[in-house]
Amino acid sequence: MHLALVLIALVSIGAVVYSYVLYPFVLAAVAGWVQTVRDARYVLGKRDRRVLREAELPLVAVVISAYNEERHIGPRIENLLALDYPADRLKILIGSDGSRDRTGEIMAGFNDPRLQACVFEQNRGKASVLNDLVSRTDAPIIAFSDANTYFERQALRRLVTHFADARVGAVSGELRLKGAAGDNQDSLYWRVEQFLKFFEARIGGLLGANGAIYAIRRELWQPLASDTICDDFCVAMSVAATGHRLVYEPAAWAEEDTPDAIGEEYKRRVRIGIGNFQALVRHPEYLSRTSAGTRFAYVSHKVLRWIAPHLLVLGLAASLWLAHASWGWRIFAGLQIVGYVGAAALYGVSSRGGQLPGLLRIPAFLFALNWAFLIASYRYATGRYSGSWRRTAR
């Protein structure tokens, strides 16, 4: 019994430390080895890397679901119409998902043959709108984005270049967050995520795509369940489960605002967390039918982080049980309690509008992130999805 509790405590906490601290270093080392092998094969094989020429650029349909986006929809359409991509090979399909503001009216006010504005009276949810819009086009490449995101002028061209390789099934661009004043640490977290994404792509283990800017082959599209929350993750991972590669192209970038308030980030994380657990339970093929690199990254980067708060609670419970056995375990349990209470207090200060100095923002953000995952798992398990799509600044 004693040995079992020791293992539970150490493995639970060790798994969290591995995912957040050690995994980036392990990933970078593995990626370096994979890249060396790949470069050696390229040099010895004497093969040219094919790049799409202007005449070969495919017809692309940009698909966006919008709900109450009157503030963004006009500039977003203008942004898409100004892209550096041949006009005769670009289609833009935007669906207003039962918006109650002027979103549909603003969309209908544009007169450009590239734009197909679909104003739906009923609010059905993003997944249903995406299914509908994709069914209305036969473009070989489908690009997905959001109404509050803005593409760099050559972003679409840089995305589709990778489809010259028949093995590539999806390409994810990079989202750059702007306006990150205040106490929100999402910008720091996002930079770490971009680092991981870059090296995961190196080992053929890119996980999902960034919903703000990604594209897939139309033939690999699989309709989404109507209640799907993390549509971008599920669309791209379903492509990976077919055996096709997911590519990360940081030169294809887009921008959007990030909320200043950490409370806004917490709401978004609860919604995403519910979608994470939904994908984990519904799609075992993300582990059973994907590449070894994808499985390694999926467990290390995603699954362990989703269940991190549960592991921490389990590790603390085991430590408290062992505390009667030795002073070492009492100190270990005490340090955990002090750390969690301290992080919670910092988050409380931040969520009430207080400004935290420097590095103290990080534990506050991590507490918000893990608390959100804990709440999300409970809401998913109990079927309490109500409010999960409540609008936030992102």
Side-chain angles (χ1 to χ4, degrees):
M1 178 68 174
H2 179 84
L3 179 59
L5 288 173
V6 170
L7 288 174
I8 289 172
L10 296 181
V11 170
S12 297
I13 296 173
V16 177
V17 172
Y18 162 72
S19 182
Y20 276 99
V21 181
L22 300 180
Y23 171 61
F25 297 99
V26 174
L27 174 64
V30 173
W33 177 77
V34 169
Q35 187 63 34
T36 299
V37 172
R38 183 178 295 128
D39 288 344
R41 288 176 177 172
Y42 168 70
V43 171
L44 295 174
K46 305 295 184 183
R47 292 177 299 175
D48 293 328
R49 291 186 173 105
R50 185 170 183 265
V51 178
L52 285 173
R53 297 188 296 271
E54 178 76 17
E56 297 174 317
L57 289 174
L59 175 64
V60 178
V62 179
V63 172
I64 295 175
S65 172
Y67 176 70
N68 288 351
E69 291 285 0
E70 64 177 13
R71 174 185 169 191
H72 300 107
I73 199 65
R76 176 80 246 240
I77 294 174
E78 292 171 354
N79 167 252
L80 292 172
L81 294 176
L83 291 177
D84 178 21
Y85 203 83
D88 62 337
R89 278 164 262 177
L90 175 63
K91 296 294 181 183
I92 303 166
L93 293 90
I94 303 180
S96 173
D97 185 22
S99 298
R100 297 295 176 257
D101 62 3
R102 297 180 56 248
T103 298
E105 177 186 341
I106 295 171
M107 288 166 49
F110 282 85
N111 183 23
D112 190 291
R114 291 171 289 178
L115 174 65
Q116 183 175 347
C118 303
V119 181
F120 303 113
E121 296 298 324
Q122 180 183 358
N123 178 250
R124 295 176 294 162
K126 184 178 180 180
S128 294
V129 174
L130 293 181
N131 288 336
D132 195 325
L133 295 178
V134 172
S135 71
R136 295 173 183 236
T137 179
D138 57 1
I141 304 297
I142 308 293
F144 298 88
S145 188
D146 296 321
N148 64 334
T149 302
Y150 302 96
F151 283 1
E152 186 271 334
R153 193 165 181 269
Q154 292 190 320
L156 193 60
R157 182 186 292 266
R158 290 167 177 162
L159 273 185
V160 304
T161 296
H162 292 277
F163 291 107
D165 186 342
R167 298 170 298 175
V168 173
V171 183
S172 177
E174 178 177 299
L175 176 62
R176 299 181 180 180
L177 301 175
K178 59 181 181 177
D183 65 350
N184 184 18
Q185 285 301 294
D186 191 47
S187 57
L188 173 61
Y189 184 79
W190 199 256
R191 287 195 293 272
V192 174
E193 289 296 293
Q194 288 173 335
F195 171 89
L196 296 178
K197 187 175 293 186
F198 178 84
F199 285 105
E200 285 168 348
R202 280 267 182 97
I203 67 171
L206 185 63
L207 301 173
N210 192 300
I213 177 168
Y214 74 105
I216 71 167
R217 293 189 187 276
R218 173 68 173 79
E219 65 195 70
L220 302 178
W221 164 258
Q222 297 181 28
L224 297 160
S226 61
D227 63 342
T228 300
I229 295 175
C230 294
D231 52 275
D232 49 355
F233 181 76
C234 292
V235 169
M237 289 298 285
S238 293
V239 169
T242 67
H244 287 76
R245 288 177 53 209
L246 304 187
V247 172
Y248 176 49
E249 178 48 83
W253 57 271
E255 285 186 331
E256 72 177 45
D257 293 325
T258 183
D260 291 342
I262 199 170
E264 283 294 307
E265 179 60 17
Y266 167 76
K267 297 172 187 176
R268 189 176 72 90
R269 285 290 169 185
V270 170
R271 170 174 60 82
I272 293 175
I274 295 172
N276 294 153
F277 289 105
Q278 185 186 68
L280 180 63
V281 173
R282 287 185 178 179
H283 298 285
E285 68 272 19
Y286 298 167
L287 275 173
S288 63
R289 286 167 38 195
T290 51
S291 67
T294 301
R295 293 194 294 270
F296 164 65
Y298 187 40
V299 172
S300 300
H301 184 183
K302 296 296 186 181
V303 177
L304 286 180
R305 291 197 183 183
W306 297 342
I307 64 173
H310 311 80
L311 292 173
L312 292 175
V313 170
L314 186 62
L316 177 59
S319 299
L320 289 171
W321 192 273
L322 291 165
H324 72 280
S326 71
W327 277 103
W329 282 106
R330 291 173 198 169
I331 294 172
F332 188 49
L335 289 174
Q336 292 175 64
I337 293 172
V338 169
Y340 302 153
V341 171
L346 291 172
Y347 169 67
V349 171
S350 182
S351 63
R352 289 192 296 271
Q355 295 295 314
L356 296 175
L359 294 177
L360 291 182
R361 300 173 186 175
I362 296 176
F365 175 79
L366 290 176
F367 178 85
L369 180 68
N370 283 280
W371 182 251
F373 282 145
L374 193 63
I375 296 301
S377 65
Y378 171 74
R379 288 180 56 178
Y380 175 72
T382 58
R384 297 175 59 189
Y385 293 8
S386 177
S388 62
W389 283 104
R390 180 171 51 183
R391 184 181 178 85
T392 68
R394 279 186 62 201

